[in-house]
Amino acid sequence: MKKDTLLELKQAPDSFSPAVTPVSASTIHTDAEGLYAGETTIPSQGEHLPAYLARPAEYTGKLPIVLVVQEIFGVHEHIRDLCRRLAKEGYLAIAPELYFRQGDPSDYNDINELFEKLVSKVPDQQVLADLDHTAHWAAQHGGDATKLAITGFCWGGRITWLYAAHSPQLKAGAAWYGKLVGNKTLTTPTHPVDEAVDLTAPVLGLYGGQDTSIPQDSIESMRQAIRAANATAEIVVYPEAGHAFNADYRPSYNAEAATDGWQRMLAWFAKYGVK
């Protein structure tokens, strides 16, 4: 059994984004018992990319890797908790701080201000490159480069689709309520519906039927693009769920949809060899 002795991690705070506090009573806390979890940094594009890592403390061989892509709120406690949940399933789960060059999301108390002053300034190409470096780093620290998956939530759900069209090493993706269409800008030159033709990894899309920020017609447009491209992807819509239905710390949480989506994600990863 391997033990983590060379990689020194810092303890991560247990705080949530100030833009979404106070948190709901439904908030789930996953402990770190049996895990090696904490903050680290990754060399990426000449800088030190902060990241949160969680994996089993003891393991045999190499671990399957899951890149966990943050919501609009950054790598706050909910994303760290999701990493620990994946680690309890036997994965090396790692969530890089993908805004760090542009600023700190914890500096913002308002979602709209957070988006306008920080998130909108983060280029897709920068994000995809940072994810490449994160995957490479994970493979050097106990991960199996041949078993690479990605999952993302909200902002990260959109990135998940893009990464599945970007990385030839990726084996599977699970995109939670990520936007599929949008305005094209210098930082966001394409969107998932544009990238369907280039998907090289199977993607599971998990969406809410009551999500007012992602209209059903945009989901249908994505389905049509997937069919036209003959790509391997599946989109599941939960009729009673809204946006961010897996965010247990928010009023939007839908326990039934979140539980089903999580099990579907794990089965999807296993189906395509990331287990």
Side-chain angles (χ1 to χ4, degrees), residues 160-161 173-176 202-206 233-236 261 264-265 268:
T160 295
W161 286 105
W176 298 71
V203 181
L204 172 66
L206 300 164
E234 178 184 341
I235 296 179
V236 177
R264 284 177 183 267
M265 177 186 71
W268 187 264

Side-chain angles (χ1 to χ4, degrees), residues 232-274:
T232 303
E234 178 184 341
I235 296 179
V236 177
V237 176
Y238 296 97
E240 303 305 317
H243 190 68
F245 61 82
N246 189 59
D248 50 72
Y249 64 98
R250 300 181 66 186
S252 58
Y253 179 56
N254 183 304
E256 183 177 358
T259 300
D260 185 78
W262 190 261
Q263 293 305 315
R264 284 177 183 267
M265 177 186 71
L266 295 178
W268 187 264
F269 289 168
K271 179 179 180 179
Y272 292 103
V274 187

Side-chain angles (χ1 to χ4, degrees), residues 168-204:
Q169 283 75 43
L170 191 70
K171 295 298 185 289
W176 298 71
Y177 35 84
K179 285 195 173 183
L180 300 165
V181 302
N183 295 327
K184 295 182 180 181
T185 68
L186 291 176
T187 55
T188 58
T190 64
H191 293 283
V193 72
D194 307 309
E195 298 288 338
V197 68
D198 292 319
L199 289 175
T200 57
V203 181
L204 172 66

